[in-house]
Amino acid sequence: MNKDLNLTDTLKYNREIRIYSGRGITNYSSVFRMYNYERKKWKAEFYEHYAEIPNKTELKIEKKKLKPKNNFDFIFLKFLRSKVMNLPNQEEISWKIQGRDSIFETKTNRKGKEIIEYESVHKSISILDGVSYIVQVKEFNKTNEFKYYNPESYYKNFNEIDELLFMVEILNIVRNEFKIWKKTKPNNIYNLLLAYCLLAKILADFL
């Protein structure tokens, strides 16, 4: 996608952040970019990328400049406060997203004797479709890159996980300062499907 948008694969400026957003199985993706190109001079840009679908649609790209609500230096410090230089990939915290095990006592009768056994069941949620984000950030000689899948949906179920909290904060900074990526409420069918998948997973683990 960088080639289509005429962006370098590596971050060019001493202070720069990019957030790539992709929506599941659609051909739509977008990029937020903010960079310090001269001392005290910043730019913010938003790219929308509609990939070519053979025999259906052509490649389409839209780019616009963004004006922040607050000062750019202040915004970049907010990103740093949300641990943007330290966050790992979501895969590295997957053990946290499983949650803690619940322990159950079961009693059975074998040949007239009561047998007590214990089982542990863990909570696990898999959200198969939604929004993924790749964050790239640079502050002088230090860089970081990480990827998260549906962080806001996972955060609703695991709000005690710091990494999810910081990722949600980063997205909210972009939304509040630049008025992009507005949240949309999922429909009732999506809610029912998510609840069904969660229940099926819990039952499968228990059985």
Side-chain angles (χ1 to χ4, degrees):
M1 183 170 65
N2 282 341
K3 184 178 180 181
D4 292 338
L5 302 179
N6 198 27
L7 292 174
T8 58
D9 290 331
T10 57
L11 302 185
K12 180 179 178 181
Y13 297 96
N14 282 333
R15 289 195 292 176
E16 181 175 352
I17 182 169
R18 295 183 196 173
I19 304 178
Y20 296 78
S21 172
R23 299 192 64 86
I25 61 174
T26 72
N27 71 325
Y28 174 79
S29 56
S30 58
V31 183
F32 164 76
R33 185 189 185 204
M34 180 179 123
Y35 55 97
N36 184 196
Y37 64 97
E38 288 182 16
R39 192 174 184 272
K40 296 296 181 180
K41 291 185 179 181
W42 292 80
K43 285 184 180 180
E45 299 161 345
F46 184 57
Y47 300 81
E48 294 183 281
H49 181 276
Y50 300 83
E52 178 186 2
I53 301 176
N55 302 319
K56 288 188 178 181
T57 62
E58 295 181 350
L59 171 67
K60 180 182 176 182
I61 295 170
E62 296 180 1
K63 175 185 175 182
K64 64 180 179 180
K65 295 181 180 179
L66 301 175
K67 291 185 178 181
K69 180 180 177 182
N70 291 295
N71 177 275
F72 277 110
D73 290 291
F74 174 68
I75 295 169
F76 196 77
L77 287 175
K78 287 172 68 176
F79 284 129
L80 296 180
R81 186 180 65 174
S82 294
K83 307 299 181 183
V84 72
M85 300 302 301
N86 307 101
L87 280 179
N89 283 311
Q90 183 170 323
E91 286 85 352
E92 296 179 45
I93 63 163
S94 59
W95 64 275
K96 293 185 179 183
I97 295 175
Q98 290 180 355
R100 298 185 67 181
D101 291 0
S102 298
I103 300 175
F104 295 92
E105 178 183 279
T106 61
K107 296 180 180 179
T108 57
N109 194 296
R110 298 177 186 171
K111 298 180 180 181
K113 184 179 180 181
E114 184 180 68
I115 305 296
I116 299 176
E117 296 177 319
Y118 298 92
E119 271 190 85
S120 64
V121 178
H122 70 267
K123 176 183 178 182
S124 178
I125 296 176
S126 296
I127 302 173
L128 302 179
D129 191 22
V131 187
S132 63
Y133 299 95
I134 298 174
V135 180
Q136 296 177 334
V137 61
K138 180 179 180 181
E139 188 190 21
F140 299 103
N141 62 345
K142 186 177 180 182
T143 61
N144 192 26
E145 180 175 340
F146 50 90
K147 185 172 185 177
Y148 278 73
Y149 306 89
N150 308 301
E152 290 162 311
S153 297
Y154 281 112
Y155 181 67
K156 289 177 183 178
N157 294 279
F158 300 98
N159 59 13
E160 73 281 4
I161 298 178
D162 289 341
E163 291 86 350
L164 293 176
L165 167 64
F166 292 135
M167 184 63 203
V168 170
E169 282 185 0
I170 289 167
L171 296 176
N172 285 336
I173 291 170
V174 176
R175 287 195 182 98
N176 295 334
E177 292 290 346
F178 298 99
K179 305 303 178 185
I180 59 172
W181 292 334
K182 294 180 180 180
K183 293 182 180 179
T184 56
K185 294 182 179 180
N187 57 40
N188 290 333
I189 294 176
Y190 177 82
N191 284 331
L192 289 172
L193 181 61
L194 182 60
Y196 174 79
C197 291
L198 175 58
L199 178 61
K201 177 66 176 175
I202 292 173
L203 289 174
D205 289 339
F206 182 73
L207 297 175

